[in-house]
Amino acid sequence: MVKNISILGSTGSIGTAALDVISRHSDKFNVVGLTAYSNISKLVEQIHEYSPEIVCVQSNDLAIELRKQISKEVEIVIGEEGLCNVASYSKTDVTLTAVVGIAGLKPTIEALKAKKDIALANKETLVVAGQLIKQLAKENNCRLLPVDSEHSAIFQCLNGENAKSISKIIVTASGGAFRDKTREEMKSLNVDDALKHPNWSMGDKVTVDCATLMNKGFEVMEAHWFFDVPYDDIEVLIHKESVIHSLIEFNDGSVLAQLGVPDMRGPIQYALNYPNGRLDLPIKKLDLLEFGKLHFEAPDNKRFPCLQFAYEVGKQGGTYPAVLNAANEVANELFRKRVIDFLEIEKTIRTTLDAHDSINDPNLEQILQANEWARKYSFQVIENQLKSKI
Ligand code: NDP
Ligand code: MG
């Protein structure tokens, strides 16, 4: 059976990797929905190549511009509502969520309500609303399939295993671009330095999140929700080669790991084709002799406090995770725009978390309110920091 796929964020790093997988297996997949934010030229190319039935762009002006550039009959929808339409499009079997940030939350909810399986790359959705998303997936009998490489690794290791036998999950981390930098050196490092990721080629936001280790913190929270494992049983291991994508320790002492060269097409194909096994792809084969040695070390919480913020906030729950994510989105963006320094990212997040009054078991509206509050608050924190420098 051919699966109909909608891709939210098709013009991004994950989106284009997914389309590469799909184009090599057109007997298995058919593209029905695509979305861009503002990259019209790439979307036009994708429309010509994959003939989707529905596409989404950010604004009316962009939709008019897009219409001029395509001759095909394609429904064009707009903004957040449009994103939700593509996510829940009637013919879709699997929705791949590959937009950045909290923008992925509402469309994922709409897709679940419409009983779509989700291939989830957009980790921020699980970070801010893990409980809600899990509940909706259960109620609507939908699969939540991990695309993040670490979670795909764990998912692959769990194949045929009883998840109740997990004693520990070990999430590996490259350590990001600043793995070996001192705090003193971090003060003067800028966005160009942060974007030089040692192993993975990804979008800018997630690459900066790797440099702060916020990304690894989010992945700990993501692992908690995907696999129902308590935070105390999720460990992070710095492994600079990114060859072992993550590990599970079982209660008999056995440890299973998934290995491979870093290439997101691996986890993407596994999620899109699930439960039908693996697909042929021209991914470089792993040659362990090329590496000779693999390295492991514990994360340094003093140099990278964002990882601990995630454990703290994950355990506290309530609206704290939404605040963590929002403050990080704001600080990450302003660092990328060279408004703040690298170490001000963690400072902004800490100050915003400390000022928040969390609500327990929040509904969607309360999560979105906390997100709005934290965005405004963290902007203010940054403004005050800038004023104090003048
Ligand atoms: P990119 O920045 O490369 O791509 C983002 C995509 O989302 C683009 O299509 C962009 O459109 C669109 N987009 C951006 N902002 C919005 C918005 N506000 N509303 C709607 N669409 C938007 O990101 P990545 O592909 O790197 O990452 C996507 C998600 O996957 C993130 O959550 C990330 O953490 C996660 N992830 C990524 C990995 C990777 O290897 N890249 C690995 C694991 C997880 P346009 O091009 O028009 O701007
Ligand atoms: Mg990852």
Side-chain angles (χ1 to χ4, degrees), residues 149-154 156-157 170-176 179 197-200 216 237-247 256-264 266-267 278 283-296:
S149 59
E150 296 76 2
H151 308 77
S152 177
I154 296 161
Q156 292 178 48
C157 292
I170 303 161
V171 179
T172 52
S174 70
R179 182 187 58 227
H197 194 284
N199 306 332
W200 295 94
K216 210 44 61 179
L237 183 67
I238 306 291
H239 162 48
K240 66 179 180 186
E241 292 86 3
S242 297
V243 162
I244 301 178
H245 297 312
S246 278
L247 313 91
L256 294 190
Q258 188 259 337
L259 286 73
V261 299
D263 187 325
M264 285 309 294
R278 300 170 190 277
I283 293 178
K284 189 172 177 269
K285 299 290 184 280
L286 176 63
D287 178 3
L288 283 172
L289 287 177
E290 223 176 74
F291 290 89
K293 285 182 184 163
L294 297 178
H295 296 82
F296 307 99

Side-chain angles (χ1 to χ4, degrees), residues 129-143:
Q131 185 94 45
L132 210 73
I133 295 294
K134 288 274 294 199
Q135 202 179 317
L136 274 172
K138 198 172 165 198
E139 277 168 22
N140 292 289
N141 207 12
C142 305
R143 288 190 175 112

